[in-house]
Amino acid sequence: MTDISQELIARVRQASHDGTSLQIMGGGSKQFMGREPIGDPISLSEHKGIISYEPIELVLTARAGTPISEINSALAEHNQCLAFEPPTFNGQATLGGTLACHLSGPARPWSGSIRDHVLGIRLINGHAEELRFGGQVMKNVAGYDVSRMQAGAMGTLGIITEVSLKVMPKPAATVTIKQEMDAAKAIETMNRLSGQSKPLTGACWFDNHLYLRLAGARSAVDSTVNQWQGAALEDTDAFWSTLREQQLDYFLDASSLWRFSVKSSAAHVLPDEDWLFDWGGAQRWLRGDFTADKLEALAETAGGQVSLYRGGDRSQEVFHTQSEALQKLHQRLKHAFDPNGVFNPNRLYSWM
Amino acid sequence: MNQSLRPDKAALVELFRDFIEPQYVINDEETQKPFECDGLSVYCDMPLITVLPKTVEQVCEVMRICYRYQIPVVARGAGTGLCAGAMPNPDGVLLVLSRFKHILDIDPLARSARLQPGVRNLAISEAASPYGLYYGPDPSSQIACSIGGNVAENSGGVHCLKYGLTTHNLLKIEMVTVEGELITIGSEGLDSNGFDLMALITGSEGLLGVITEVTVKLLPSPEKAQVIMAGFDNVQTAGDAVGGVIAKGIIPAGLEMMDSPAIIAAEAFAHAGYPTDAQALLLCELDGSEAEVQEQIAEVEQLFIELGATTTRVSQSEAERALLWKGRKSAFPAVGRISPDYYCMDGTIPRSQLAHVLTEMQKLSEQYGLRVANVFHAGDGNLHPLILFDANVPGELERTEEFGSRILELCVKVGGCITGEHGVGVEKIRQMTIQFNDQELTQFHAIKHAFDPIGTLNPGKGIPVLKRCQEYRTLDRPQHKHDSQPQQGDLA
């Protein structure tokens, strides 16, 4: 439990004055994401601790450097959880980094992402001011939603110092069933089943098998398992955590890893390539060397976007190309928060 | 861009009539009258010109003209907003999007719907229902309010605790910028790269752009929904019961509370069978599979009894469920029958502060000599105190507004906020200075400036201009539209 926000503010003030830039670091677990980091490292790993947690209010507030694993442990004591299931990356992932990188686990299509669970933040902007946005209540529509805007901004708008989150009860029962099927059939099945009022909270496909997770009230889970059929997995939690933490063999391969975020029902493309589908078809991983242009065209046809998630040449753009109009808005917004370009320059795009 | 070359009203009307049918470019007072306010009619004004375009290209052209001549633009849909967010600007164009009322596409497999902004909220669920799907957010005005306005105000409703607000249920929007450029934000995938502009636009009250198309997520309709009503002899016990449900790990689809004056008014109106001697009433809806709902209804009923409920009743049919909700959903008009006027506030508080806030509110009620009835989204902490007053009594509206301000200040003091779902608009612009400091407001202005450098989008709403902040912070008396309005350009 340490609060080093004054130290952080002083560092930002100095950097802004000197015209230098800062590379924001939490646990360092997501250094592989985005473009090559530049600037002097500024660490938030000491800025940690749960500030308040009210199980009855379903709200937790913690400093940005708090490890996700620590939050998970505190919640588990009250039979609650982070419904968006963020990866913990060997205990290194922090709350601030998870928000900045917008990482969510297999439950994302049904339970939402971290962006959907954020209620409020504190943020140090480029003027070295620590500002508070949102709050600790479920509904708040006063002012612009700066809290959710941090999701995926890769720290380019400021240093997130504190986050308030909505938390949820843990499901009473969880069962995973496995069925053999090809990719095209899996996409159709995942989408069709997602349209039913059943306690589905995970749907992924790889190695020619579809995995479906059912979680909720015992009676609802059992009756759905009977209806949908398939072989029940022995250790359901271990399977989904291996997927979430990207420790399946699929992710351990050294080749470049591309992440498609597309319409869940979009047709399967490049059938001969090496794919893994998660999020009921809405998140698709592709391994191998490709040109970004080719994949961007495919992603757009599928109603979404693609990014180079891991590996490859990170001195080039890694995130999906933005239209000229959106680039202009991004640059103006970056300027609105960080006029001197202190925070994580170029991490998101070369032009920012 | 030169304002000195700005055409006069007649010339501007002609400019618009070049590409919009003449009857949809309105400039006479009588025809414009229905557009002078939104759902909060104490704030009203006449626009310079009202236009009702039919195509996105027409919207772009209106925006380009207004940008060229620096003319303020206020966009509006059905006008059901409750914060004067769509109140016209007397020097500006009112851009009415009610002709954009088509459902463009429903994709049952992907569970999404592509909509024009004027589509009514309830019409989305009606169109999706043949596929076993519905649209989650259900503001109480859903029969009339339109999806574009829902996005602009980040509307909520009874289902928010479980299914989220508008912001949680959007995939993509198309928006026209102040310069008249059409842009796409979000995608049909769940996440997009770059800044989450969708988060900024949702709830931005028309200050950042004009929404011309919305793609929403659809959810599978639950197999079953059942409601349990419970009466309590004091508010604290009812508040504890709300916490008790959540502590059990149950997230209701809806969890609403009413206090004694609201119960009495609603029962007289709807004859729902509410216990009129109760001090607090809870309505708790559970939805999901048949088996799940059966299991949870039994658990919740037993919990309510254990925690001291004086009456409980579980709906045994869809008709009974609708009847139990009818009282709650008609609480506002019901209160309207026992008072010439009422003013609906919209603060949010941590649930644990409920009893304290209601007690303090009672003290204020006595101090101001105005009755108050409370309807409360207990699941998510969103209070709707209804202050009863008579606008014909001189000074009573002003006293009501001051009382309302005190309530919102109280909400912020206990860790809540000044608006949960109605928005800031003109109505709560003074209270923004209670919730946010000058640095935070400056940051909001910088965001606004990034989207709207000339400050012509819905000026005077949402975020107070800084020059006014100090005045707002020191003034005790609420400002009405006839007092001085915040002026554009104070910040620049």
Side-chain angles (χ1 to χ4, degrees):
Chain A
M1 279 296 275
T2 337
D3 179 355
I4 61 161
S5 49
Q6 291 311 311
E7 207 176 306
L8 296 169
I9 290 167
R11 284 283 307 278
V12 173
R13 190 176 293 120
Q14 192 64 45
S16 178
H17 178 263
D18 297 346
T20 55
S21 58
L22 297 171
Q23 177 194 146
I24 307 167
M25 302 264 295
S29 66
K30 290 179 275 291
Q31 286 287 295
F32 65 88
M33 280 187 76
R35 301 178 75 249
E36 296 282 358
I38 48 176
D40 300 331
I42 178 167
S43 174
L44 271 88
S45 58
E46 294 301 308
H47 187 69
K48 63 181 175 185
I50 294 170
I51 295 165
S52 69
Y53 170 36
E54 300 292 338
I56 298 279
E57 298 281 345
L58 298 173
V59 176
L60 177 140
T61 300
R63 295 197 181 95
T66 313
I68 291 290
S69 51
E70 192 180 315
I71 294 171
N72 286 342
S73 304
L75 294 173
E77 283 181 31
H78 295 272
N79 214 24
Q80 293 185 338
C81 64
L82 296 174
F84 53 92
E85 296 188 307
T88 60
F89 290 140
N90 294 318
Q92 301 302 303
T94 61
L95 179 56
T98 302
L99 176 57
C101 296
H102 197 201
L103 289 187
S104 312
R108 200 255 182 266
W110 300 276
S111 307
S113 66
I114 182 167
R115 174 250 198 221
D116 294 318
H117 289 77
V118 165
L119 301 174
I121 58 162
R122 280 180 196 273
L123 178 85
I124 302 171
N125 68 6
H127 299 289
E129 299 162 339
E130 192 180 32
L131 310 177
R132 184 173 173 271
F133 298 102
Q136 295 185 309
V137 285
M138 303 288 165
K139 283 186 188 165
N140 178 359
V141 294
Y144 302 121
D145 194 343
V146 176
S147 311
R148 288 192 175 87
M149 192 202 174
Q150 303 308 316
M154 302 293 293
T156 54
L157 298 171
I159 300 177
I160 302 162
T161 54
E162 192 181 299
V163 182
S164 294
L165 289 170
K166 178 179 171 182
V167 302
M168 292 298 268
K170 267 192 173 171
T174 308
V175 175
T176 300
I177 50 177
K178 180 179 177 182
Q179 298 166 343
E180 188 173 346
M181 67 179 67
D182 66 25
K185 174 88 168 117
I187 291 169
E188 192 274 330
T189 306
M190 290 189 285
N191 279 282
R192 188 169 38 80
L193 297 180
S194 296
Q196 297 181 13
S197 171
K198 300 295 179 193
L200 184 66
T201 66
C204 74
W205 174 92
F206 66 100
D207 281 350
N208 234 33
H209 282 87
L210 175 68
Y211 297 81
L212 301 169
R213 179 176 61 182
L214 296 154
R218 166 61 65 188
S219 52
V221 169
D222 289 348
S223 65
T224 311
V225 169
N226 285 336
Q227 214 175 319
W228 286 0
Q229 302 185 337
L233 286 197
E234 287 267 317
D235 192 343
T236 184
D237 287 349
F239 172 77
W240 293 100
S241 97
T242 311
L243 171 67
R244 183 191 69 216
E245 301 294 337
Q246 301 186 340
Q247 286 167 347
L248 289 170
D249 288 345
Y250 179 90
F251 293 104
L252 302 177
D253 191 279
S255 50
S256 301
L257 183 65
W258 301 84
R259 176 185 178 239
F260 285 75
S261 174
V262 293
K263 183 174 182 167
S264 58
S265 62
H268 184 42
V269 292
L270 306 177
D272 297 328
E273 300 298 342
D274 200 3
W275 290 93
L276 182 149
F277 302 158
D278 195 1
W279 295 3
Q283 179 170 253
R284 302 183 189 182
W285 299 97
L286 172 65
R287 281 193 314 200
D289 293 323
F290 297 90
T291 59
D293 289 358
K294 177 185 176 182
L295 297 188
E296 287 198 359
L298 286 174
E300 282 169 24
T301 306
Q305 300 189 341
V306 65
S307 58
L308 175 59
Y309 184 77
R310 197 197 306 266
D313 181 1
R314 296 173 61 223
S315 64
Q316 303 297 313
E317 302 296 353
V318 300
F319 292 109
H320 198 100
T321 306
Q322 299 275 356
S323 70
E324 219 170 284
L326 288 179
Q327 281 191 30
K328 186 173 67 183
L329 272 177
H330 274 72
Q331 283 164 332
R332 286 185 191 166
L333 282 166
K334 168 73 174 170
H335 184 77
F337 281 86
D338 181 22
N340 298 325
V342 172
F343 304 114
N344 286 3
N346 307 326
R347 184 86 190 261
L348 191 53
Y349 287 104
S350 64
W351 38 267
M352 239 173 50
Chain B
M1 193 165 56
N2 187 340
Q3 210 177 354
S4 63
L5 295 176
R6 177 174 165 163
D8 64 14
K9 183 172 170 174
L12 206 52
V13 165
E14 286 317 305
L15 273 179
F16 291 139
R17 284 185 175 161
D18 265 354
F19 60 95
I20 299 175
E21 305 99 297
Q23 70 271 32
Y24 291 114
V25 179
I26 305 166
N27 63 334
D28 67 287
E29 191 160 327
E30 191 183 341
T31 322
Q32 289 198 97
K33 187 79 178 163
F35 299 105
E36 68 173 355
C37 66
D38 60 16
L40 182 61
S41 57
V42 293
Y43 296 96
C44 54
D45 221 332
M46 273 303 178
L48 184 69
I49 298 171
T50 300
V51 297
L52 291 88
K54 191 166 197 271
T55 68
V56 174
E57 185 40 51
Q58 288 174 349
V59 174
C60 291
E61 190 55 26
V62 169
M63 296 306 288
R64 284 193 283 264
I65 291 170
C66 290
Y67 185 71
R68 190 180 317 140
Y69 300 114
Q70 300 190 33
I71 298 165
V73 179
V74 180
R76 65 166 262 168
T80 58
L82 290 170
C83 65
M87 184 178 93
N89 185 299
D91 300 320
V93 167
L94 187 68
L95 181 60
V96 182
L97 292 152
S98 53
R99 295 172 79 198
F100 288 79
K101 57 184 179 198
H102 298 290
I103 294 176
L104 300 171
D105 182 40
I106 289 188
D107 186 333
L109 191 61
R111 305 165 316 282
S112 63
R114 202 159 62 82
L115 313 156
Q116 288 193 325
V119 172
R120 290 178 308 114
N121 179 294
L122 190 60
I124 308 168
S125 290
E126 285 169 355
S129 98
Y131 308 103
L133 301 168
Y134 78 108
Y135 176 60
D138 59 341
S140 297
S141 56
Q142 70 175 157
I143 191 166
C145 66
S146 55
I147 188 69
N150 290 171
V151 176
E153 299 295 335
N154 191 12
S155 302
V158 167
H159 278 140
C160 288
L161 182 66
K162 189 167 179 181
Y163 297 109
L165 291 94
T166 305
T167 192
H168 301 104
N169 290 277
L170 300 175
L171 285 171
K172 190 170 82 165
I173 57 172
E174 289 197 355
M175 183 183 98
V176 179
T177 65
V178 70
E179 294 100 330
E181 200 167 1
L182 183 66
I183 58 172
T184 301
I185 290 170
S187 73
E188 290 171 273
L190 296 172
D191 295 344
S192 296
N193 296 148
F195 294 156
D196 190 341
L197 301 180
M198 185 83 90
L200 278 188
I201 304 302
T202 313
S204 63
E205 305 192 2
L207 270 73
L208 305 182
V210 176
I211 295 157
T212 52
E213 190 182 304
V214 184
T215 304
V216 301
K217 297 178 193 171
L218 299 174
L219 301 171
S221 309
E223 271 175 18
K224 188 177 176 72
Q226 218 170 349
V227 65
I228 174 164
M229 175 195 85
F232 292 85
D233 54 15
N234 81 63
V235 169
Q236 179 72 56
T237 318
D240 292 346
V242 170
V245 173
I246 285 155
K248 265 192 160 324
I250 294 173
I251 301 295
L255 185 50
E256 300 283 304
M257 189 192 286
M258 294 160 78
D259 70 1
S260 173
I263 299 167
I264 292 167
E267 177 59 20
F269 183 84
H271 310 293
Y274 292 169
T276 47
D277 57 343
Q279 290 304 301
L281 185 85
L282 287 182
L283 288 170
C284 178
E285 180 157 294
L286 296 158
D287 70 1
S289 69
E290 290 271 353
E292 187 177 7
V293 172
Q294 200 178 2
E295 186 179 311
Q296 292 185 342
I297 278 280
E299 265 186 274
V300 171
E301 184 173 29
Q302 194 191 339
L303 178 83
F304 284 167
I305 292 168
E306 276 168 21
L307 292 177
T310 47
T311 38
T312 61
R313 180 170 152 198
V314 176
S315 66
Q316 301 301 328
S317 65
E318 272 304 290
E320 191 176 5
R321 184 171 78 93
L323 181 66
L324 287 175
W325 276 117
K326 188 183 171 196
R328 160 63 186 93
K329 291 195 171 172
S330 52
F332 291 8
V335 164
R337 299 203 321 170
I338 60 170
S339 172
D341 299 284
Y342 68 88
Y343 196 10
C344 176
M345 305 307 295
D346 172 43
T348 305
I349 57 168
R351 278 186 299 262
S352 59
Q353 298 290 329
L354 177 64
H356 169 69
V357 168
L358 291 181
T359 308
E360 289 300 304
M361 227 187 290
Q362 190 50 43
K363 286 184 200 161
L364 288 169
S365 166
E366 285 155 23
Q367 186 187 326
Y368 283 94
L370 294 165
R371 291 178 297 162
V372 59
N374 267 293
V375 181
F376 181 45
H377 298 303
D380 51 40
N382 190 187
L383 276 172
H384 289 309
L386 302 169
I387 304 172
L388 314 187
F389 72 103
D390 184 349
N392 290 324
V393 175
E396 198 150 303
L397 170 63
E398 286 71 19
R399 222 162 66 240
T400 298
E401 288 187 310
E402 196 177 316
F403 181 10
S405 305
R406 294 283 172 267
I407 293 174
L408 298 183
E409 285 168 26
L410 177 63
C411 291
V412 172
K413 199 173 155 195
V414 300
C417 65
I418 60 167
T419 171
E421 57 185 15
H422 291 179
V424 175
V426 175
E427 184 199 23
K428 302 180 201 77
I429 201 157
R430 292 180 70 252
Q431 283 76 41
M432 284 293 281
T433 59
I434 301 167
Q435 194 172 326
F436 298 100
N437 65 31
D438 285 0
Q439 292 176 334
E440 288 154 358
L441 293 171
T442 303
Q443 186 65 72
F444 285 149
H445 279 288
I447 293 168
K448 163 80 168 163
H449 190 75
F451 282 85
D452 179 18
I454 61 166
T456 51
L457 282 173
N458 211 3
K461 316 281 176 64
I463 318 287
V465 286
L466 287 177
K467 211 169 127 187
R468 294 268 156 191
C469 281
Q470 290 314 314
E471 297 169 27
Y472 283 143
R473 286 185 203 288
T474 50
L475 274 179
D476 268 333
R477 200 171 62 81
Q479 295 224 319
H480 244 206
K481 83 171 185 76
H482 301 296
D483 300 339
S484 58
Q485 278 285 303
Q487 296 301 305
Q488 272 311 116
D490 281 5
L491 181 76

